[in-house]
């Protein structure tokens, strides 16, 4: 019953946000990175933070340092959606937020290099999650996949309060109702992609730290493959990787090849969910077996990705 109540509250909160966004002209105008052509409300992903806020209150303020980090990350990202902030400000807040997350996870009690690895991975994944938020439904579909995989793992391992994942998934469903459609009512904005990435990474980090098993990083394999190979290709072409672009595979498929964008979003989420389920079958295997599996999986995924992207570029991009 509580989940239904939370869904209704978040649904109403999203509708109220639309009125605020419309009133203060918080919109997403198409640019060189965009895959849309119409002006759309921005920042609908604020609902992810509100879902976490509901959990924080109803759990008697569990995970306070994580929530403080999430709040700081959300504030600076929402501000960046309205007025562009300098990279120094954003990175400074990201750094502080990651430190707060690390403190919540008790990473400071581990060897110093754990903190370095945590910072690099978290900031990298958050930015990748943000860059991948480029077509209708992709953030919702992918987040549902990752969140569901974490919930499945949590069912047997109990590495985190399950309500954090439940409320997060509910907020994603609410957002999906308005975003997973041909003509989206809203986009997640930086505030949405950054907030959901921060929440899911907190849960994933808790899982990895409790089990000591890195195989769970495969829960982010699809985004990882697309982000890493896109960066490598742009570096090879001597492009500025910090400038806006439309060269991810999903963008080429949706924009140049004309594939239905909702289908692309669904496939990104579905493939990631299947990979995650496969990874869960190997968690009890010897480390050597897990390493062989992970390397083999990433190699096959990379080959499929590069083959598909190469074909799309040759057929649709090179001729345009």
């Amino acid at each position: 019953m509580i989940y239904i109540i939370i869904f209704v509250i978040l649904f109403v909160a999203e509708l109220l946000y639309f009125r605020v966004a419309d009133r203060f002209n918080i919109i997403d105008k198409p640019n060189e990175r965009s895959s849309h052509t119409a002006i759309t409300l921005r920042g609908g992903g604020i609902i992810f933070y509100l879902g976490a806020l509901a959990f924080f209150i109803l759990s008697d303020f569990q995970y306070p340092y994580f929530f403080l980090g999430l709040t700081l990350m959300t504030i600076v990202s929402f501000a960046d959606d309205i007025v562009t902030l300098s990279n120094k400000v954003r990175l400074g807040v990201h750094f502080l937020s990651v430190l707060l997350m690390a403190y919540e996870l008790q990473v400071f009690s581990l060897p110093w290099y754990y903190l370095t690895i945590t910072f690099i991975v978290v900031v990298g994944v958050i930015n990748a999650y943000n860059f991948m938020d480029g077509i209708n439904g992709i953030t919702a579909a992918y987040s549902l996949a990752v969140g569901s995989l974490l919930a499945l793992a949590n069912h047997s391992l109990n590495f985190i309060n399950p309500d954090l994942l439940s409320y997060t998934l509910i907020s994603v469903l609410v957002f999906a109702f308005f975003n997973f459609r041909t003509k989206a009512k809203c986009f997640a904005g930086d505030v949405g992609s950054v907030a959901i990435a921060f929440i899911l990474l907190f849960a994933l980090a808790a899982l990895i730290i409790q089990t000591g098993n890195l195989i769970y990083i495969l829960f982010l394999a699809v985004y990882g493959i697309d982000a890493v190979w896109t960066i490598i290709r742009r570096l090879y072409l001597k492009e500025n990787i910090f400038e806006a672009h439309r060269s991810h595979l999903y963008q080429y498929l949706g924009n140049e090849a004309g594939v239905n964008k909702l289908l692309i979003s669904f496939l990104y989420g579905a493939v990631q969910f299947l990979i995650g389920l496969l990874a869960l079958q190997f968690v009890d295997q010897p480390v050597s077996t897990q390493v062989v599996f992970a390397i083999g999986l990433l190699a096959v995924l990379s080959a499929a990705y590069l083959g598909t992207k190469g074909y799309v570029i040759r057929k649709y991009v090179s001729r345009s």
Side-chain angles (χ1 to χ4, degrees), residues 195-212:
I196 191 62
F198 195 80
I199 295 168
L200 295 176
L201 279 170
F202 174 67
L204 180 60
L207 171 59
I208 292 174
I209 290 173
Q210 177 172 305
T211 62

Side-chain angles (χ1 to χ4, degrees), residues 65-313:
Y65 296 103
F66 153 73
F67 187 73
L68 177 58
L70 174 63
T71 299
L72 293 174
M73 192 81 80
T74 300
I75 290 172
V76 75
S77 299
F78 189 67
D80 197 41
D81 276 331
I82 300 174
V83 291
T84 302
L85 300 178
S86 70
N87 288 331
K88 291 182 179 179
V89 172
R90 287 189 295 106
L91 288 177
V93 173
H94 284 194
F95 179 76
L96 179 58
S97 296
V98 174
L99 287 180
L100 288 165
M101 178 196 287
Y103 187 79
E104 188 70 69
L105 293 167
Q106 300 181 355
V107 174
F108 288 97
S109 63
L110 302 173
W112 65 269
Y113 51 83
Y114 277 83
L115 180 59
T116 303
I117 294 172
T118 299
F119 176 76
I120 294 173
V121 171
V122 171
V123 172
V125 172
I126 286 175
N127 280 281
Y129 225 95
N130 194 15
F131 293 150
M132 293 296 292
D133 181 36
I135 58 174
N136 296 4
I138 195 166
T139 294
Y142 198 79
S143 299
L144 283 174
V146 177
S148 298
L149 290 168
L150 289 167
L152 283 174
N154 194 50
H155 183 70
S156 57
L157 297 173
N158 194 31
F159 57 88
I160 202 167
N161 188 324
D163 280 343
L164 175 59
L165 295 173
S166 297
Y167 292 5
T168 298
L169 289 172
I170 290 171
S171 69
V172 174
L173 287 173
V174 170
F175 174 72
F177 179 82
F178 297 103
N179 178 258
F180 197 91
R181 51 175 76 180
T182 302
K183 187 176 181 180
K185 174 68 176 177
C186 69
F187 294 140
D190 287 353
V191 63
S193 55
V194 167
I196 191 62
F198 195 80
I199 295 168
L200 295 176
L201 279 170
F202 174 67
L204 180 60
L207 171 59
I208 292 174
I209 290 173
Q210 177 172 305
T211 62
N213 196 333
L214 289 174
I215 197 171
Y216 294 108
I217 201 69
L218 292 176
F219 284 3
L220 298 171
V222 174
Y223 266 18
I225 288 292
D226 199 337
V228 169
W229 281 114
T230 296
I231 290 174
I232 291 174
R233 180 173 181 271
R234 297 194 73 204
L235 288 173
Y236 175 76
L237 295 174
K238 295 182 172 55
E239 297 177 357
N240 185 344
I241 63 173
F242 298 104
E243 289 183 351
H245 66 95
R246 298 199 310 178
S247 54
H248 286 287
L249 174 59
Y250 76 86
Q251 291 168 319
Y252 282 142
L253 288 171
N255 299 324
E256 279 74 21
V259 179
N260 184 285
K261 293 174 182 177
L262 295 183
L263 175 60
I264 297 170
S265 296
F266 171 79
L267 289 175
Y268 264 69
V271 170
Q272 180 57 76
F273 187 70
L274 292 174
I275 289 173
L277 289 180
L278 190 58
L280 288 173
Q281 304 305 309
F282 281 82
V283 295
D284 295 324
Q285 297 296 317
V287 174
S288 58
T289 303
Q290 293 185 23
V291 170
V292 171
F293 162 71
I295 292 176
L297 175 66
L298 292 175
V300 170
L301 198 59
S302 293
Y305 173 87
L306 293 172
T308 302
K309 193 169 188 176
Y311 171 79
V312 172
I313 290 174

